[in-house]
Amino acid sequence: MKKTIPLKFITVLLLLATFPNSVWAQKKQSKPNVLLITVDDMNDWVGVFGGHPQAKTPNMDKFAKKSTVFKNAYCSAALCNPSRTSMLTGYQPFKTRVYGNNEVFRKIKGFESTVTLPQYFAKNGYQTVATGKIFHSPRGTAKEPKEGSDPGSFQTENKVGLGTPYPKNRFPHGLDFKRAGVKGSKTRSFDWGPVDVPDEKTNDWKSAEYASKFLKEKHDKPFFLACGIFRPHLPLYAPKKYFDLFDEESIELSTVLKTDLEDVGKIGKNWAGQNLHAEILRNDKWKSAVRGYLASLAFADACVGHLLDNLENSAYAENTIVVIMGDHGWHLGEKEHWSKQTLWEESAKTPLIIFDPSKSKGEVSVRTVSLIDVYPTLIDLCDLPKKQDLDGNSFEHLVSNPKGKWNHSALTTKGLGNHTLRNENYRYIVYSDGFEELYDHRNDPMEWKNIAKESSSKKVLKNFREELKELVK
Ligand SMILES: [Ca+2]
Ligand SMILES: [Ca+2]
C-alpha cells in the first residue's frame, strides 16, 4: 500500500519553513532573557520619579512609559557594597554582616558557597555576562576575591574602567581645595566639572556598547546580561555637552529647613555631618554641585539609552525582561547632608523600573518594594524554581498588577543596629542607641517633622517595632 503523508503534517512543515528566523529562535527559547542595568548612586531625580523638576533623563523616561515603574523602591543599605551584596545574594546586611565597602561576603563564615543571582540563573541554564560595576568592585580573583567583589559570579565579566576619564589638571587648587571650588571634604572625589571627551571615549559608554554588541549576536541559551553605569557616582565629571544642558544660575535647589536636624537623633545628626554643607554654602557652590549631579545623571541616561536602543533593534526586544535600578539614593543638601549613608528618604530611595514584555503596561506602583526583592522577583518572572533561603519577597504580581496586595515595609540598614522601615504612609527609624524617628509622608515628604514622641503616634510606632523585631532576628 502506498504511504501518504497526512495533510496536517504537511501544513506544519510549510508553516515551519516560512517562519522568520528571529521568531523561530524566540519560540524555541522558553525562558525570557534578563537585562539588568544598574546606575550607581542614582537618586529619584530621574524624570519619571519626579525628584527634581530640571532633570533631563529622556531615555529612561521614555522606557518607563511602557514598563512598570516602582516609585517607592528602597535599598537594603545606602552604600555601594552592602546594597549590591544584598541585592545580588538576596541576604540582608545584618545577616551577611556586610555593612561597609571593604567586606567580601564569601569570606564571611556561612556565606562561602552563596549562590548569587547570576549564579542561580547560570544553574538554571542561562548564560551570564557582566560589564561595568555590578558587584561593588571587580578586584581580585575567584580564589582570592578582594573588597566588595565576587569574581566568577558571572561567567563572563568585561572589566572596564569606571565613569569618564578625569579632566586634565584635576586639582588645580591642590587636593584640599577641589577643582569645583569646595574645600574640606575628606572625600578626594567630591568634585565635579565638564570633561572634554566624546561619549564614545568614556568607560560608561564603552560598557553600554559592550552590552549592545552582545545583543547583536546570536545566542543559543537565554542570557542574563548585566550592565553597570558608574555616573552619577562621584566625581561628577561628565562630557561637556551634558553640563551645557543646564544653566547654573537657574538651577533649582531643595528647600532646607534650618531647624531640621534639631529633632533627629545624635547618631543621625552625626551622619548628616553639616560641615561639608556649610563649606558648600560658604563657597556659593550649591547650584554648581547640583548642576554637576544633573549633568552626570543626564550622561548616565544617555548611556542607558544607547543600550536600550540597541535592545529595541535586536532580536531580543520581545523576549527580554529589563530591570533598571540605582543602588541607593543621594542627598544634595537635604538635611544639610551630601551623598549617601543616612537612613532618610533621600538615601534610601532609588529608582526601579521593570519591563516585562508580557506583563508591563506603562503603569506605576507605589508599593514599598526593596532591591532585595529583585532576586526572588526575577526568579518568578523567569519561572525558575524558587530559592527558599532568600530574605526578600517576590513582587512578580505587582509587575502586571501594580496595585496588587503587598504587606511588606522596605527595610534599610546602616551598620549594626540602625534600621529604617518605610511603608506607603510612614518612615520609621531606630538607631543603635534606641532613638526613634517617625515621619508621615502623607503631609511631610521631606521628613522634616519627627512625630515619634507624639502620643497619636503610639500605635504606628508599636506596629513598626514589632515588624522590625520580626525582620531582624
Ligand atoms: Ca552606589
Ligand atoms: Ca526635623
Side-chain angles (χ1 to χ4, degrees), residues 38-45 78-80 84 133 136 229-234 236 293 297 325-332 339-340 346 349-351:
T38 62
V39 185
D40 209 346
D41 286 20
M42 175 167 73
N43 69 9
D44 69 351
W45 286 13
L79 183 67
C80 299
R84 288 160 187 259
K133 180 174 166 177
H136 173 54
I229 302 296
F230 188 57
R231 287 288 107 79
H233 190 289
L234 289 169
L236 302 170
Y293 190 84
L297 183 60
M325 62 161 77
D327 56 350
H328 49 74
W330 226 73
H331 288 246
L332 286 103
S339 98
K340 48 225 183 188
E346 271 73 25
K349 190 179 220 172
T350 196

Side-chain angles (χ1 to χ4, degrees), residues 11 21 24 61 64 89 124 147 152 163 180 198 231 235 291 321 425 471:
T11 318
N21 268 346
W24 175 231
D61 294 348
T89 62
N124 285 283
E147 67 271 32
R231 287 288 107 79
R291 181 179 178 227
I321 292 167
N425 293 339
L471 284 166

Side-chain angles (χ1 to χ4, degrees), residues 59 131-132 158 160-165 197-213 216 227-231 237 239 241-242 296 298-310:
N59 295 289
T131 176
N158 175 44
V160 289
L162 298 169
T164 59
V197 63
D199 289 355
E200 295 74 16
K201 290 269 161 66
T202 66
N203 293 313
D204 280 339
W205 190 275
K206 283 181 195 165
S207 228
E209 177 57 20
Y210 177 91
S212 300
K213 274 199 181 132
K216 286 175 187 157
C227 176
I229 302 296
F230 188 57
R231 287 288 107 79
Y237 301 141
K241 71 180 194 203
Y242 298 99
S296 298
F299 162 64
D301 178 73
C303 297
V304 172
H306 178 60
L307 177 50
L308 292 176
D309 287 348
N310 278 293

Side-chain angles (χ1 to χ4, degrees), residues 259-261 263-264 447-449:
T259 54
D260 196 2
L261 291 169
D263 58 357
V264 311
E447 300 180 343
W448 281 339
K449 195 175 177 216

Side-chain angles (χ1 to χ4, degrees), residues 151-210:
S153 236
F154 286 90
Q155 292 161 333
T156 308
E157 225 177 316
N158 175 44
K159 290 186 183 175
V160 289
L162 298 169
T164 59
Y166 290 153
K168 283 177 197 142
N169 190 15
R170 191 179 166 199
F171 298 113
H173 318 293
L175 276 182
D176 193 38
F177 195 82
K178 307 288 169 2
R179 188 169 170 270
V182 174
K183 222 177 176 177
S185 164
K186 280 182 229 138
T187 314
R188 202 179 136 92
S189 59
F190 194 83
D191 197 18
W192 55 90
V195 189
D196 194 11
V197 63
D199 289 355
E200 295 74 16
K201 290 269 161 66
T202 66
N203 293 313
D204 280 339
W205 190 275
K206 283 181 195 165
S207 228
E209 177 57 20
Y210 177 91

